[in-house]
Amino acid sequence: MKQALAALLVAFAALVPVRAETETPLTALPYSPSLSVAAMDRSIDPCVDFYAYSCAGWEKSNPIPSDQGSWSVYAKVTQDNQRFLWGLLETAAKDTPGRTPTERLIGDYFQACMDLPGIEKAGLSPVRPDLAAVAALQSKGEIAALLGKLHPNGFARRLLFSFDSTQDADDANRVMPQVSAGGLGLPDRSYYLDADEHTKSIRDAYVQHVARTFGLAGDSPAAAAAKAQTV
């Protein structure tokens, strides 16, 4: 259990989103109409395939990106929103006259996160105390207390499970606690279970990535490979 917990801890530390080289920040949020005639394909008989009649136009204009297992208008809106937020953060990070205290706080925080030379220089030092705490575990009964200490710390908050707040589905005036399963490093279960060659190549590359991460943490190649299989 200690090996598995340490493996998850280091694996989560490595899960920095990799942005596609073609993506750039947006200065304005693209307009995505809720209904669009362009999304239709009127050459298809709606009595034969109503879904294709309604959506084939959108699918032709929005092929599934190479780094995604599926794609939809909701996923595209999410991506557009993230790129727009990226643009806002880059603007806030510029030390220009007239920046408000809030913009400065947000911009400086973003700039610190994007300081790759500083992050590389720090290496594994920020997570070493957590790894030492895992190594010091003497029994399974101590895991709960350790998780309670680790969960408030950024990336570690998804170890084994995640805890958050969400809107009550039955009462808009209330916010409810939400507990979700944690532990998956790849986007969803299909990446672990699908047997097609493309998915298997992603799975193999992921294991290699995790092994390299453990190597950077100081493990020997054999130990890193074994822990990658645990992950």
Side-chain angles (χ1 to χ4, degrees):
M1 176 60 91
K2 283 201 293 185
Q3 179 177 325
L5 195 59
L8 284 170
L9 191 64
V10 176
F12 277 129
L15 292 178
V16 178
V18 178
R19 183 175 291 115
E21 293 182 359
T22 56
E23 287 188 15
T24 55
L26 296 174
T27 57
L29 189 62
Y31 172 65
S32 298
S34 56
L35 294 173
S36 173
V37 174
M40 304 171 64
D41 186 341
R42 296 190 176 187
S43 66
I44 298 173
D45 186 345
C47 296
V48 175
D49 190 338
F50 187 76
Y51 177 83
Y53 171 77
S54 303
C55 305
W58 190 91
E59 291 180 341
K60 290 176 183 177
S61 302
N62 296 274
I64 300 175
S66 60
D67 62 340
Q68 299 291 326
S70 62
W71 198 240
S72 69
V73 64
Y74 305 106
K76 184 179 183 302
V77 167
T78 298
Q79 184 186 62
D80 289 343
N81 189 49
Q82 289 175 339
R83 292 176 62 194
F84 177 52
L85 292 173
W86 177 14
L88 293 176
L89 289 168
E90 285 205 338
T91 299
K94 296 177 182 178
D95 190 10
T96 54
R99 271 201 310 176
T100 67
T102 300
E103 289 172 334
R104 180 179 296 277
L105 182 67
I106 294 172
D108 290 352
Y109 184 78
F110 174 72
Q111 193 63 41
C113 292
M114 299 304 292
D115 179 16
L116 296 184
I119 293 171
E120 290 291 339
K121 184 178 180 180
L124 198 66
S125 58
V127 78
R128 285 196 187 280
D130 294 335
L131 291 175
V134 173
L137 289 172
Q138 299 298 315
S139 68
K140 292 181 180 179
E142 297 176 1
I143 294 176
L146 178 60
L147 288 175
K149 294 178 181 178
L150 292 176
H151 264 237
N153 298 332
F155 70 87
R157 66 186 179 185
R158 292 185 294 147
L159 282 174
L160 303 187
F161 67 93
S162 62
F163 186 83
D164 208 340
S165 59
T166 188
Q167 197 72 44
D168 185 350
D170 297 319
D171 186 349
N173 295 313
R174 297 200 305 171
V175 174
M176 302 291 288
Q178 181 182 51
V179 181
S180 304
L184 297 184
L186 294 172
D188 60 58
R189 67 191 298 273
S190 63
Y191 284 85
Y192 295 87
L193 302 178
D194 286 1
D196 61 277
E197 292 302 318
H198 177 63
T199 302
K200 286 194 290 185
S201 68
I202 293 175
R203 203 155 47 228
D204 292 341
Y206 179 66
V207 174
Q208 295 172 19
H209 165 67
V210 174
R212 285 194 298 270
T213 302
F214 282 115
L216 293 173
D219 286 328
S220 67
K227 289 182 179 180
Q229 289 299 326
T230 299
V231 172

